[in-house]
Amino acid sequence: MTVVIGVGGPKGGVGKTTLALNMATHCVRGLGEQTLLVDTDPNRSALDAATAAGAAMPFQVAVSTDPAELGGLRTAGFDVVLVDLPGVREHSALDALLCKGALDVLAFPTRPELMDLRPLLSFVDERVRPNNVPYLIALTRVHRDRCRAAEERRDELRSLGYRVASTYTRALVSHDDALELAKPVCDLPGGRHSTASAATREYRALVAELLAMCGHRYDPDHTTAPVSRIPARPTGAAEVIHGNSTYAC
């Protein structure tokens, strides 16, 4: 069955689209999964970035805010579907994914500062937990000198009963460089100890955590097919093109 992962939250500017793009890239190039990224954000940032990157981001992209289409993504014919959601509390795309069985996990990237966390935790308490939707909070854009503080914040949130990823992504210059050059971070030059290499490892580890929540495990240090592979896509796959989609449900 197709794995559906939503990437969203009540606030923008927390690295949501950057996370979705690099996760989708790794699912295809690192894991060999047939992957669809659905852009539901009116800004179309994910679509624009993927189009500019071309073959470097070899997943397929669709644009949709239609609740019926989003609620039926499991029949779209892909191994993995990532949905880039707008950074708002209320949206038809979000409502569709909160429906029972519409997705496997909802990823919430957020900075670790309280100003970013408070609206997110309120959203989780009011909209996510009551609907029994699996979710994972991922701390992002952590500055190098604040790693220890981020780890303490992660542990604090866990002690309060929130599901928080072990992996956090740092505020590395490679993220900005990748956007400027229209490339995924894994294609940026630099050796094993470069910021691009570090960012790539962080994304791989986060993908591993999210897929583990869906019942699939693999070694994030390898760029081959996962140990427990997601089932192959079903027949009757959806027709998907850049900028448009037609689902055959």
Side-chain angles (χ1 to χ4, degrees):
M1 181 180 289
T2 299
V3 168
V4 181
I5 299 173
V7 183
K11 288 189 66 175
V14 295
K16 172 180 60 66
T17 299
T18 300
L19 177 62
L21 288 165
N22 284 281
M23 286 174 56
T25 300
H26 180 57
C27 283
V28 178
R29 293 175 50 176
L31 307 180
E33 305 292 358
Q34 298 188 60
T35 302
L36 170 67
L37 176 60
V38 182
D39 190 348
T40 68
D41 194 319
N43 294 321
R44 300 292 182 256
S45 299
L47 173 65
D48 291 345
T51 302
M57 292 185 178
F59 51 86
Q60 297 198 62
V61 182
V63 171
S64 179
T65 56
D66 183 87
E69 290 182 344
L70 296 172
L73 288 174
R74 293 192 189 281
T75 65
F78 292 84
D79 299 326
V80 178
V81 177
L82 290 158
V83 185
D84 184 27
L85 293 159
V88 295
R89 289 182 64 92
E90 302 291 339
H91 193 273
S92 59
L94 180 62
D95 292 339
L97 290 181
L98 287 175
C99 293
K100 185 176 181 180
L103 81 172
D104 293 280
V105 61
L106 190 51
F108 291 124
T110 179
R111 291 187 177 96
E113 287 75 27
L114 285 177
M115 289 294 291
D116 293 288
L117 279 170
R118 282 172 178 155
L120 172 59
L121 299 182
S122 174
F123 179 80
V124 169
D125 291 339
E126 295 171 8
R127 303 275 327 264
V128 180
R129 282 176 162 174
N131 288 292
N132 295 316
V133 175
Y135 72 92
L136 189 66
I137 297 171
L139 301 182
T140 60
R141 299 192 175 183
V142 176
H143 292 281
R144 289 185 176 184
D145 60 349
R146 300 291 294 168
C147 289
R148 179 60 179 169
E151 292 166 2
E152 291 174 352
R153 181 57 50 82
R154 176 193 62 199
D155 295 342
E156 176 189 3
L157 291 172
R158 285 176 169 177
S159 72
L160 295 173
Y162 294 99
R163 299 170 184 166
V164 186
S166 297
T167 305
Y168 56 86
T169 64
R170 290 171 291 169
L172 302 174
V173 67
S174 56
H175 297 304
D176 294 330
D177 291 344
L179 290 174
E180 288 289 332
L181 297 171
K183 294 181 178 181
V185 292
C186 60
D187 282 350
L188 293 180
R192 182 176 178 82
H193 301 292
S194 67
T195 60
S197 180
T200 299
R201 290 193 298 270
E202 290 168 1
Y203 285 129
R204 288 176 182 171
L206 189 53
V207 169
E209 290 194 60
L210 287 166
L211 291 183
M213 288 187 67
C214 306
H216 304 278
R217 298 181 183 276
Y218 73 95
D219 185 350
D221 293 326
H222 292 278
T223 56
T224 56
V227 173
S228 179
R229 182 176 171 79
I230 298 170
R233 67 175 181 173
T235 57
E239 177 189 353
V240 183
I241 60 174
H242 277 289
N244 193 15
S245 62
T246 304
Y247 292 98
C249 299

